[in-house]
């Protein structure tokens, strides 16, 4: 679920940094998300090719949803829709 939430945040933003993703996810969860949870999960969605990772500068990476990530979100929406009126 956490990785899915990361996909939604990244899809809804224009190449957010890791800190931007962290700030947004913390608002939703109403609690602090530590780096030890955030960045390994970001790396996982990158490795699954759902998200692309690039560099803004030497210290800052950006994240962007891939076509596969968009499809995963769409597939999830369709699956959920069969259970919700």
């Amino acid at each position: 679920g956490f990785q899915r939430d990361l996909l939604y945040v990244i899809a809804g933003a224009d190449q957010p940094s890791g800190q931007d993703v962290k700030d947004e996810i913390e608002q939703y969860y109403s609690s602090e998300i530590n780096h030890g949870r955030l960045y390994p999960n970001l790396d996982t969605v990158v490795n699954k090719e759902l998200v692309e990772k690039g560099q803004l500068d030497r210290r800052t990476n950006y994240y962007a949803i891939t076509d596969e990530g968009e499809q995963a979100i769409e597939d999830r929406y369709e699956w959920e829709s069969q259970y919700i009126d």
Side-chain angles (χ1 to χ4, degrees):
F2 185 72
Q3 290 174 8
R4 185 174 52 247
D5 293 343
L6 293 176
L7 287 181
Y8 291 154
V9 168
I10 293 166
D14 184 26
Q15 296 186 338
S17 68
Q19 185 64 47
D20 294 334
V21 173
K22 180 179 183 290
D23 291 345
E24 188 66 30
I25 227 69
E26 283 178 341
Q27 285 182 18
Y28 176 70
Y29 280 78
S30 299
S31 65
E32 185 175 342
I33 304 298
N34 66 41
H35 291 260
R37 180 176 185 195
L38 177 67
Y39 289 100
N41 280 286
L42 284 171
D43 288 342
T44 298
V45 294
V46 168
N47 291 337
K48 290 180 178 179
E49 300 181 350
L50 301 173
V51 169
E52 173 185 286
K53 179 179 171 181
Q55 267 193 320
L56 291 174
D57 58 45
R58 286 185 178 190
R59 294 184 44 192
T60 309
N61 292 320
Y62 72 83
Y63 297 89
I65 197 82
T66 63
D67 290 342
E68 291 85 356
E70 290 279 358
Q71 186 62 53
I73 290 171
E74 180 64 29
D75 291 347
R76 176 64 185 209
Y77 177 77
E78 288 177 14
W79 181 80
E80 287 175 344
S81 294
Q82 69 183 333
Y83 300 105
I84 301 170
D85 289 342

